[in-house]
Amino acid sequence: MVEPGLIRAAQTGDRDALITLLREIETHVYRTAFYILNNEQDAHDAAQEALIRIYTKIDSYEEKAQFKTWVQRIVTNICIDKFRRNKPTVSIEEHELVFQGKESVEREVMSGYTAQDIREAIEQLPDHHRSVVVLRYLQDFSYNEIADSLNLPLNTVKSYLFRARQQLQHLLQDYQKGGVSG
């Protein structure tokens, strides 16, 4: 994800290295926040808060854990705190669909429904299940990296993922039957 030399330079007070480091991780941080919070404005706020915390705490990072794991722990904790403080709101986004040809219209509409339904299903998961799903399937973390990020035992991570998959399967059962909800 990020070069270790850049991290070390940022830790020693190299302002340019720190700015470069934050720019390299900002999209990753926002994406995680968005998938956990499922609200664009809240995700921007959480990502900004996470980047500020990384900026102020970079000297406390130890190379015992991977940098991306350390960053994910910060982002996830901020999102969970934010989610607990605020009741979740449903954001209604307007999307402009651009169709390439008649045969792609149905596919694009269906993929839009599918993506929205998956986001809504993930949003319905309990906080701890949502966090492990986002880290595993959207951020491609290993089970060990998730355990490190969330400070959980490995078996707990596996259990949360198992239960979350069951819940998602139930929530998305219309797709398994070939239907579309909404």
Side-chain angles (χ1 to χ4, degrees):
M1 183 171 144
V2 177
E3 291 183 35
L6 184 62
I7 297 167
R8 282 191 286 280
Q11 287 180 307
T12 61
D14 182 337
R15 183 171 160 73
D16 291 334
L18 184 55
I19 291 170
T20 301
L21 176 68
L22 293 173
R23 284 191 177 135
E24 284 189 24
I25 64 172
E26 70 183 333
T27 301
H28 177 73
V29 167
Y30 170 77
R31 187 178 311 130
T32 299
F34 181 78
Y35 280 113
I36 292 174
L37 299 170
N38 199 32
N39 178 292
E40 190 174 335
Q41 187 59 47
D42 288 344
H44 281 295
D45 292 346
Q48 183 177 21
E49 188 177 336
L51 290 170
I52 290 169
R53 190 165 301 163
I54 292 164
Y55 176 86
T56 59
K57 303 285 186 182
I58 189 70
D59 57 333
S60 69
Y61 167 69
E62 298 174 3
E63 293 185 25
K64 295 176 189 172
Q66 290 184 12
F67 184 71
K68 75 176 187 176
T69 303
W70 183 75
V71 167
Q72 280 306 128
R73 180 178 296 153
I74 291 170
V75 176
T76 303
N77 288 339
I78 288 171
C79 289
I80 289 171
D81 289 344
K82 188 170 198 49
F83 193 78
R84 286 180 182 153
R85 282 191 306 260
N86 305 328
K87 287 187 175 182
T89 59
V90 177
S91 70
I92 300 172
E93 300 175 26
E94 293 183 30
H95 295 285
E96 187 175 310
L97 297 176
V98 179
F99 301 113
Q100 300 300 323
K102 291 181 182 178
E103 61 278 349
S104 67
V105 172
E106 183 177 343
R107 190 173 357 156
E108 289 196 34
V109 169
M110 293 304 291
S111 70
Y113 279 126
T114 302
Q116 180 62 30
D117 284 351
I118 291 171
R119 277 195 301 272
E120 288 173 3
I122 291 172
E123 185 179 328
Q124 292 178 43
L125 295 174
D127 294 346
H128 54 285
H129 288 171
R130 183 179 322 114
S131 296
V132 295
V133 165
V134 167
L135 293 177
R136 178 70 182 135
Y137 298 110
L138 302 175
Q139 299 296 340
D140 201 31
F141 271 42
S142 70
Y143 290 163
N144 288 327
E145 290 171 332
I146 296 168
D148 289 344
S149 291
L150 299 178
N151 200 25
L152 294 171
L154 182 60
N155 285 334
T156 302
V157 169
K158 290 177 182 179
S159 174
Y160 284 178
L161 278 170
F162 177 77
R163 289 189 184 116
R165 283 191 298 264
Q166 285 181 320
Q167 290 172 325
L168 287 172
Q169 185 175 9
H170 175 72
L171 292 167
L172 296 169
Q173 64 188 345
D174 288 339
Y175 286 103
Q176 294 169 343
K177 296 176 185 172
V180 177
S181 67

